[in-house]
Amino acid sequence: MPVLHNRISNKELKARMLAETQPRTTISFYKYFNILDPWAFRNNLYQQFTELAVFGRVYIAKEGINAQISVPTHNMEALKALLYSIDPALDNLRLNIALDDDGKSFWVLRMKVRDRVVADGIEDETFDPSKTGEYLKVEQVNQMLDDPDTLFVDMRNHYEYEVGHFEKAIEIPSDTFRDQLPMAVEMLQDNKDKNIVMYCTGGIRCEKASAYMLHNGFKKVYHVEGGIIEYARKAKEQGLPVRFIGKNFVFDERMGERISDDVIAHCHQCGAPCDSHTNCKNDGCHLLFIQCSECADKFEGCCSETCREEVRLPETEQRTRRAGRENGAKIFNKSRYRLQDGMSLTK
């Protein structure tokens, strides 16, 4: 089957997006449901999204769909009508609307077919992802945050937790969801008598995590409906206290939505209060890390003195140095990196 895809360069597409004057809305959604032919589903949806000028990232698998997209605001109703009509399982699909949004989150539509919409590493054929924990709405979330017999478990990566999380939430210190699932089961073994509340950015990870916890013998398992995005939006709409502190990391050009004014993270180079993620400007690195404005000026957007020196080299020499280099994990993790040499990152 021929695969429909974009044929224009990323540079030109980004320039077109930045030049747009029409307002855009950034939304995310997911749904676990059975897709018999993911490739046919993907190509049909790609064509219809293109007609609506949708940008973003969409993953499709036999188990369902996961999407983070932006759409011209005037096409929102048409997008809803399209999604609701595709499959009965998507009727009245919940759409998580971004809070801190300038409409510049994406500039191209990328739609991929995968084995799973969220890589989970689960090989147990008896696991049923549809048997999930109970949804919690905003008021219930706030009530359970005050319950001493309830544990809130953050099912996002460590770098997401670092810049923002629910009060007293437990971090599952890992870079990947597939590693977090068995780690969460192990860490919480002595708390099977407590209420376990799972949460994540938009709901897709914590929903599957809640099913996995039930599968592993936990009885009182819950998850935040719509994740942090929907919780914060509904709390503000309803005039309820927002109990999430800091920033919500998002996987687009924004790299974060401000939920509260608290800055709970620190610059990885100088230690100053800061929660702004960036990617190292060195094309041979692109490490994701937290950098304050002063260090951004000092290191010219790079993660270290070494990278700053490298980006100053002629492009041909930069390419020579990058050839055959193994970057490994491109995310700052305190267990793998240390600060030295005038507080610059070393790898």
Side-chain angles (χ1 to χ4, degrees), residues 334-345:
K334 290 186 178 71
S335 67
R336 291 197 301 270
Y337 297 85
R338 59 193 176 89
L339 295 169
Q340 67 175 30
D341 299 333
M343 303 301 282
S344 62
L345 288 170

Side-chain angles (χ1 to χ4, degrees), residues 121-155:
I122 300 172
E123 298 181 359
D124 186 347
E125 295 183 358
T126 66
F127 171 67
D128 185 352
S130 69
K131 295 180 178 178
T132 65
E134 295 181 37
Y135 277 135
L136 292 179
K137 295 188 180 298
V138 177
E139 188 172 356
Q140 295 170 305
V141 171
N142 287 355
Q143 290 172 351
M144 296 192 83
L145 280 164
D146 293 325
D147 183 352
D149 290 322
T150 298
L151 296 177
F152 273 68
V153 184
D154 195 311
M155 293 308 297

Side-chain angles (χ1 to χ4, degrees), residues 38-72:
W39 279 108
F41 184 95
R42 182 259 181 213
N43 280 350
N44 179 56
L45 190 62
Y46 186 94
Q47 187 169 6
Q48 294 183 82
F49 270 18
T50 300
E51 291 173 359
L52 292 176
V54 171
F55 299 154
R57 183 186 305 112
V58 183
Y59 298 133
I60 295 164
K62 288 185 176 180
E63 68 172 1
I65 185 170
N66 180 22
Q68 298 86 43
I69 62 174
S70 79
V71 60

Side-chain angles (χ1 to χ4, degrees), residues 56-303:
R57 183 186 305 112
V58 183
Y59 298 133
I60 295 164
K62 288 185 176 180
E63 68 172 1
I65 185 170
N66 180 22
Q68 298 86 43
I69 62 174
S70 79
V71 60
T73 304
H74 67 267
N75 281 342
M76 271 293 293
E77 292 306 313
L79 175 70
K80 289 179 183 179
L82 166 62
L83 292 172
Y84 297 165
S85 67
I86 290 175
D87 189 282
L90 297 181
D91 187 28
N92 289 317
L93 173 71
R94 182 182 63 249
L95 302 178
N96 293 329
I97 299 175
L99 293 170
D100 185 11
D101 184 22
D102 62 1
K104 306 299 184 182
S105 49
F106 299 99
W107 67 82
V108 66
L109 176 61
R110 301 191 190 283
M111 195 173 290
K112 298 182 179 181
V113 172
R114 290 184 162 184
D115 291 334
R116 305 278 177 89
V117 289
V118 176
D120 53 35
I122 300 172
E123 298 181 359
D124 186 347
E125 295 183 358
T126 66
F127 171 67
D128 185 352
S130 69
K131 295 180 178 178
T132 65
E134 295 181 37
Y135 277 135
L136 292 179
K137 295 188 180 298
V138 177
E139 188 172 356
Q140 295 170 305
V141 171
N142 287 355
Q143 290 172 351
M144 296 192 83
L145 280 164
D146 293 325
D147 183 352
D149 290 322
T150 298
L151 296 177
F152 273 68
V153 184
D154 195 311
M155 293 308 297
R156 301 172 303 151
N157 300 321
H158 74 88
Y159 56 91
E160 299 172 78
Y161 178 93
E162 185 177 6
V163 295
H165 49 260
F166 278 108
E167 299 170 5
K168 301 179 182 178
I170 297 171
E171 177 188 8
I172 309 297
S174 175
D175 291 340
T176 65
F177 183 63
R178 67 168 63 234
D179 290 337
Q180 280 185 319
L181 289 172
M183 194 181 296
V185 170
E186 182 180 355
M187 287 177 63
L188 298 171
Q189 275 300 316
D190 295 334
N191 295 282
K192 286 191 172 181
D193 59 327
K194 293 184 179 293
N195 300 315
I196 305 297
V197 178
M198 328 292 289
Y199 74 89
C200 58
T201 306
I204 189 167
R205 286 177 282 181
C206 53
E207 183 163 324
K208 181 171 281 189
S210 73
Y212 191 74
M213 298 301 284
L214 289 169
H215 181 71
N216 280 276
F218 292 79
K219 304 299 182 184
K220 297 181 287 185
V221 183
Y222 306 83
H223 55 116
V224 177
E225 184 174 11
I228 300 161
I229 297 173
E230 188 71 356
Y231 166 84
R233 187 172 71 87
K234 288 291 188 182
K236 292 177 180 180
E237 282 181 0
Q238 298 171 22
L240 296 173
V242 177
R243 304 285 294 276
F244 185 94
I245 54 175
K247 182 183 282 187
N248 179 30
F249 185 94
V250 291
F251 294 87
D252 58 48
E253 286 294 291
R254 297 170 297 155
M255 288 195 184
E257 292 182 328
R258 175 65 59 194
I259 305 298
S260 80
D261 292 333
D262 305 271
V263 177
I264 63 174
H266 298 85
C267 175
H268 289 158
Q269 291 175 304
C270 72
C274 178
D275 57 10
S276 297
H277 277 98
T278 189
N279 287 108
C280 179
K281 290 294 189 286
N282 182 5
D283 287 336
C285 177
H286 283 181
L287 178 79
L288 177 67
F289 69 110
I290 296 174
Q291 186 179 55
C292 70
S293 57
E294 290 187 7
C295 287
D297 289 339
K298 179 180 177 180
F299 292 97
E300 299 174 24
C302 294
C303 70

